Amino acid sequence: MGNLCHFARFDLKPAFRIDLDDLGVRYRKRAREVHPDRFADAGEREKRQVLEESAALNDAYQVLRSAPMRARYLLSLRDGELPLEVTVQDPDFLIQQMQWREELEELQDSADLPALAAFKQRLKAAQERLNDDFELCWQDSARHAEAVRLMRRMQFLEKLNHEVRDLEERLDD
Amino acid sequence: MALLQIAEPGQSPQPHQRRLAVGIDLGTTNSLVAALRSGIAEPLADAEGQVILPSAVRYHADRVEVGAGAKAAAAIDPFNTLVSIKRLMGRGLDDVQQLGEQLPYHFVAGESQMPFIDTVQGAKSPVEVSAEILRVLRQRAEQALGGELVGAVITVPAYFDDAQRQATKDAARLAGLNVLRLLNEPTAAAVAYGLDQQAEGVVAVFDLGGGTFDVSILRLTGGVFEVLATGGDTALGGDDFDMAIAGWMIAEMGLSADIEPGAQRGLLRAACAAKEALTAATSVVVGYEGWQGLLTREHFDGLIEPMVARSLKSCRRALRDAGLEAHEVEAVVLVGGSTRVPRVRTAVAELFGREPLTDIDPDQVVAIGAAIQADTLAGNRREGEELLLLDVIPLSLGLETMGGLMEKVIPRNTTIPVARGQDFTTYKDGQTAMMIHVLQGERELVSACRSLARFELRGIPPMVAGAAKIRVTFQVDADGLLSVAARELGSGVEASIQVKPSYGLTDGEITRMLQDSFQHASDDRDARALREQQVDGERLLEAVQAALAADGERLLDAEERQAIQIQMDELRSLLAGQDQAAIEQQIRRLSQITDAFAARRLDATVKAALAGRNLNEIED
């Protein structure tokens, strides 16, 4: 059971575009069936199994509801595990990255909260575009390299979003 | 007696027996126990009708006093009277030194790094002190419910780390309680509210207690309580408000800050009274040993502003972690006695832009929610009606890596249970052992995180640096407790531990405490035996009463009826007392005198049965 495909756990076919509300409904239904609270009386062995099952379900849910993680997972289903950190050959995006980082530094200095909110909105729009592009190419084996590149871009954006969150926290002091 | 309880074969003489389970709110200032009775969750009262048990323990030379009496003695016997002990749970001696100025106790080192407090009964750990409180609540519950408990749900602040959770579980074990689940306090409060109001949507729970602060953001959907994010501060609460007022008093009186413990307790008590008065009044005259001063609510608000600000900051962080804006929260629930402070209420209302809910007594709501969950876990709920609580870990878990840095393995606010592995490798040729240092916290530097445990993976086959692949797996169960396993993937060499927190008790210490608690066990046994005898007596009375009502006129003459009545009255008066032996004897006496009656009833029943009549027709 532990090796069941993340999508199969929710009776879904592997896809990039998924309805997150529907996924939530499926998750809660499954979680009810395998949560340790329902096995408070069970033997140690069964409890351990349920714990593992429940943890695996939580893990699957977390992967599928995040676009970057879902994209990465889809590619790994086909190509096997992808290394987490690689030197990305993506000069166009590199320039974009540098611009964003500069902006973030300026925002840190200016502590301009409305500008920070606007910046977040732009990152969100960039993520949406990546989602659209990824959807078009991930199933096409001829465009495999492009799909991997888009997935790496998503990962960068995710990291940048974390940095934005950290900045928000620092500015909240 | 057995003969009086005539029942059809296969039919239980008693109504369906619920499995007795309780919810316990083990608080910094006050503790409560609650249970479901006739479908309603309510706190259980002691013999005097008091629901709240002050979390104070006083060690006398020959006995232990828990509750209001102990609390009242805090100023006269400060070294042996332990209050706010929850603040020390799962803490190390170093942490305690930081709190030192506020605590008058004499600390001594034990086998473990846990702080022990020197009392007239010897060194006591915070775990043992908490166990005393839990023991009193367990006895209260067994008295009130009339039987042994299958277990308890014990609440902990959501922001408690692994060491603090372990300490709480150890305390329950010492008190002879089977822990069905450790439940986060804000989640428990959400259960109490959510069930009551059939709520759906996003709810924020703001829980400011005596010594801890939690905030949780939850999504409620059809009986599922999904915690989206939690945040807080395990050293922020009403105690700090008291200390702020006490600090103001000291300054106004021109006293030096170095005050002896008895006076300090006296000051804090006056400060606490002033704080409580300011909930309704806009100013209060504070008196202490001849000195008097006027404290306005406005000034008090100023004194506590830094703490209120800290709590709001935690709320904003939890919102960010949940990916929500304040206005997206559809209901705000206030929990904990300190949310009675008007400034706290207005601050929360401002942040979320809506009036918070306070319908359920903020002191009781956590215990009530815990009781509801205990009922579910004990299996008393019907299929499909069970609640489902999906909680998260409050603080990131990780490992020490090169350069004294913490590498996160499971980030905070990850839904539990969770299992996650991370691969590491050796950094020297021929390296055969590896130290695993488990950490909890949000900071990058190991020194700024809490050290949970260290263990060593040995027997790695010698390889060139970087060739070994060591997978470290973290598993957090539904109580939020961590276990860690490490395994070299090539050779299969394995090491695993149920994380014994660095600040936890050693096995030796637990053994000693368990032995100590056996002394208490005899008291417990007596209390239980009495209660069992009382329950037997009550059942007998009911049975005889029912039998008399059914067949008394028909099968007994007036004299016989009167003789039974006298013995029943006698038993009834004994049941109100504490004399177990006398109750037992009277039960026997009443049974004997009703034996003949029982025999006649049986006879009649058999005759009726032979006549083809149903037993129920006779009983009815």
Side-chain angles (χ1 to χ4, degrees):
Chain A
M1 283 296 268
N3 291 324
L4 200 65
C5 160
H6 288 345
F7 289 98
R9 281 186 190 279
F10 302 100
D11 282 326
L12 291 169
K13 288 211 167 54
F16 181 67
R17 283 277 179 225
I18 56 174
D19 178 345
L20 289 179
D21 291 337
D22 171 61
L23 181 69
V25 171
R26 287 166 190 265
Y27 165 68
R28 286 187 288 273
K29 182 169 167 284
R30 287 289 294 139
R32 214 183 244 293
E33 290 159 8
V34 299
H35 196 274
D37 281 358
R38 289 204 52 190
F39 298 83
D41 262 349
E44 283 309 310
R45 216 176 77 95
E46 198 182 356
K47 271 188 180 169
R48 208 167 42 243
Q49 278 175 349
V50 165
L51 181 64
E52 279 167 20
E53 191 65 19
S54 180
L57 179 73
N58 284 335
D59 195 38
Y61 183 47
Q62 183 159 17
V63 168
L64 294 195
R65 76 185 154 160
S66 140
M69 287 169 91
R70 192 165 65 241
R72 187 185 159 77
Y73 182 70
L74 281 169
L75 296 180
S76 78
L77 281 181
R78 201 177 51 192
D79 308 334
E81 206 54 41
L82 295 152
L84 207 56
E85 308 260 343
V86 286
T87 321
V88 181
Q89 300 295 323
D90 190 355
D92 297 345
F93 193 62
L94 208 62
I95 292 169
Q96 172 73 76
Q97 283 184 32
M98 279 157 58
Q99 282 175 352
W100 276 331
R101 285 210 181 284
E102 270 171 36
E103 267 190 77
L104 194 61
E105 271 167 40
E106 281 163 23
L107 284 166
Q108 162 138 23
D109 296 338
S110 66
D112 184 344
L113 289 176
L116 186 63
F119 182 65
K120 267 167 67 180
Q121 278 306 315
R122 272 192 290 139
L123 294 186
K124 204 172 160 195
Q127 176 67 48
E128 296 289 340
R129 280 195 302 277
L130 287 175
N131 289 351
D132 292 344
D133 293 348
F134 185 85
E135 170 66 11
L136 290 176
C137 70
W138 74 275
Q139 282 166 301
D140 185 345
S141 54
R143 295 171 73 186
H144 177 248
E146 191 184 348
V148 172
R149 193 163 60 233
L150 288 168
M151 184 274 287
R152 298 275 177 210
R153 287 183 178 188
M154 289 183 199
Q155 281 188 331
F156 171 81
L157 260 183
E158 184 80 346
K159 246 169 85 181
L160 195 63
N161 274 316
H162 274 289
E163 284 170 41
V164 170
R165 272 253 310 278
D166 289 346
L167 175 60
E168 281 181 311
E169 193 147 337
R170 282 198 300 279
L171 294 179
D172 198 8
D173 266 328
Chain B
M1 172 182 174
L3 283 176
L4 282 167
Q5 293 184 332
I6 299 169
E8 301 245 31
Q11 198 183 21
S12 161
Q14 289 144 35
H16 167 64
Q17 281 271 308
R18 291 179 81 82
R19 287 155 56 82
L20 303 178
V22 295
I24 293 179
D25 176 1
L26 181 62
T28 308
T29 323
N30 295 311
S31 296
L32 287 92
V33 58
L36 228 70
R37 292 204 279 192
S38 322
I40 295 163
E42 57 183 13
L44 305 175
D46 65 9
E48 279 85 52
Q50 293 299 314
V51 160
I52 284 175
L53 178 73
S55 304
V57 176
R58 182 183 183 191
Y59 288 95
H60 297 266
D62 57 343
R63 67 193 172 93
V64 182
E65 185 182 7
V66 179
K71 186 184 176 185
I76 54 167
D77 188 16
F79 299 123
N80 296 310
T81 308
L82 311 180
V83 297
S84 295
I85 204 72
K86 189 174 179 180
R87 297 189 99 157
L88 302 182
M89 289 289 268
R91 298 279 165 177
L93 260 179
D94 312 345
D95 305 309
V96 171
Q97 243 92 66
Q98 292 179 354
L99 290 165
E101 46 190 305
Q102 305 155 13
L103 300 165
Y105 315 125
H106 297 305
F107 289 105
V108 288
E111 245 175 83
S112 58
Q113 293 179 57
M114 188 174 274
F116 281 70
I117 300 159
D118 200 19
T119 72
V120 66
Q121 278 195 27
K124 297 288 172 190
S125 76
V127 170
E128 286 168 281
V129 179
S130 300
E132 296 294 350
I133 298 166
L134 289 173
R135 195 173 284 129
V136 169
L137 293 174
R138 192 193 87 201
Q139 284 162 0
R140 179 192 293 185
E142 289 178 345
Q143 290 265 350
L145 303 174
E148 204 166 327
L149 304 179
V150 290
V153 168
I154 299 180
T155 60
V156 290
Y159 220 56
F160 254 19
D161 64 27
D162 190 77
Q164 292 166 309
R165 284 167 200 269
Q166 279 289 359
T168 305
K169 219 173 171 179
D170 286 344
R173 197 172 132 201
L174 281 181
L177 278 166
N178 172 34
V179 180
L180 295 170
R181 182 73 73 238
L182 295 179
L183 177 60
N184 289 331
E185 287 161 10
T187 309
V191 167
Y193 267 95
L195 268 196
D196 207 36
Q197 321 208 332
Q198 297 284 310
E200 299 267 313
V202 178
V203 174
V205 180
F206 184 99
D207 179 358
L208 188 61
T212 57
F213 168 67
D214 278 330
V215 54
S216 286
I217 316 281
L218 299 100
R219 175 172 287 129
L220 276 52
T221 332
V224 181
F225 294 68
E226 194 178 352
V227 178
L228 302 176
T230 195
D233 195 328
T234 49
L236 175 64
D239 286 2
D240 299 287
F241 295 180
D242 298 347
M243 273 179 268
I245 296 178
W248 168 80
M249 288 166 69
I250 290 169
E252 291 286 304
M253 283 186 266
L255 295 175
S256 83
D258 191 25
I259 299 168
E260 59 93 15
Q264 200 181 32
R265 286 282 175 78
L267 267 171
L268 285 174
R269 221 166 45 189
C272 182
K275 172 187 74 180
E276 286 171 9
L278 285 175
T279 294
T282 52
S283 70
V284 61
V285 176
V286 191
Y288 181 72
E289 307 222 320
W291 171 86
Q292 280 201 333
L294 183 77
L295 180 61
T296 64
R297 189 191 282 168
E298 203 184 343
H299 193 78
F300 171 59
D301 289 351
L303 289 175
I304 63 170
E305 195 52 39
M307 297 158 228
V308 173
R310 253 161 77 198
S311 72
L312 295 184
K313 198 184 153 194
S314 291
C315 291
R316 287 192 294 268
R317 182 162 103 154
L319 281 168
R320 274 197 298 275
D321 284 355
L324 293 169
E325 301 286 335
H327 65 82
E328 291 177 89
V329 172
E330 289 151 275
V332 183
V333 171
L334 291 186
V335 183
S338 305
T339 58
R340 293 208 171 87
V341 172
R343 175 62 198 137
V344 172
R345 291 195 173 191
T346 54
V348 174
E350 277 164 30
L351 176 67
F352 290 100
R354 63 175 62 245
E355 275 310 308
L357 302 173
T358 52
D359 321 24
I360 307 182
D361 184 333
D363 287 321
Q364 300 185 357
V365 61
V366 167
I368 288 172
I372 294 168
Q373 177 66 356
D375 189 58
T376 299
L377 289 175
N380 289 330
R381 246 161 220 281
R382 279 199 300 273
E383 186 79 15
E385 273 185 2
E386 304 102 338
L387 308 173
L388 181 63
L389 312 188
L390 301 167
D391 227 307
V392 299
I393 56 163
L395 296 156
S396 303
L397 291 162
L399 291 166
E400 174 168 355
T401 60
M402 301 278 282
L405 292 178
M406 140 92 145
E407 164 122 2
K408 285 177 188 164
V409 179
I410 307 178
R412 70 168 188 251
N413 290 320
T414 299
T415 306
I416 54 174
V418 58
R420 208 154 287 176
Q422 192 118 324
D423 293 346
F424 294 84
T425 189
T426 46
Y427 60 95
K428 271 197 299 199
D429 286 347
Q431 186 180 341
T432 59
M434 190 178 206
M435 186 58 138
I436 314 268
H437 186 195
V438 185
L439 300 158
Q440 186 160 30
E442 304 311 316
R443 309 278 292 278
E444 299 262 296
L445 285 178
V446 167
S447 53
C449 291
R450 171 151 293 251
S451 165
L452 289 182
R454 285 172 199 270
F455 68 104
E456 203 171 19
L457 178 67
R458 270 180 247 217
I460 304 170
M463 286 180 251
V464 292
K469 196 174 178 195
I470 292 142
R471 174 158 299 167
V472 181
T473 310
F474 280 45
Q475 188 178 63
V476 182
D477 66 16
D479 289 327
L481 292 172
L482 171 70
S483 55
V484 182
R487 180 183 159 91
E488 200 287 308
L489 295 179
S491 61
V493 172
E494 219 166 312
S496 72
I497 51 161
Q498 175 79 47
V499 168
K500 276 254 177 253
S502 308
Y503 297 101
L505 297 167
T506 65
D507 287 338
E509 284 167 344
I510 290 195
T511 309
R512 176 184 64 71
M513 290 171 193
L514 280 172
Q515 277 161 356
D516 284 357
S517 71
F518 289 146
Q519 294 173 351
H520 283 290
S522 63
D523 305 347
D524 293 2
R525 261 202 309 277
D526 292 349
R528 182 173 297 162
L530 169 65
R531 185 56 204 154
E532 280 166 3
Q533 211 60 256
Q534 286 170 329
V535 170
D536 281 352
E538 281 156 16
R539 283 207 188 117
L540 178 61
L541 279 177
E542 270 172 44
V544 175
Q545 195 69 57
L548 280 177
D551 299 320
E553 292 285 334
R554 194 155 60 84
L555 299 175
L556 298 172
D557 61 35
E559 206 174 317
E560 287 169 322
R561 280 202 302 273
Q562 203 199 350
I564 291 175
Q565 203 58 56
I566 288 169
Q567 297 302 332
M568 286 175 76
D569 291 345
E570 176 63 19
L571 178 58
R572 205 168 276 128
S573 69
L574 281 171
L575 284 180
Q578 307 284 316
D579 190 344
Q580 186 226 321
I583 296 172
E584 195 178 355
Q585 202 184 6
Q586 186 58 27
I587 287 176
R588 256 204 312 274
R589 209 171 280 154
L590 178 58
S591 295
Q592 275 165 12
I593 199 168
T594 54
D595 268 354
F597 177 34
R600 271 180 239 170
R601 289 193 79 209
L602 186 66
D603 216 27
T605 307
V606 171
K607 274 183 197 149
L610 287 176
R613 288 177 62 196
N614 190 300
L615 183 65
N616 288 335
E617 293 170 39
I618 293 177
E619 292 239 278
D620 282 344

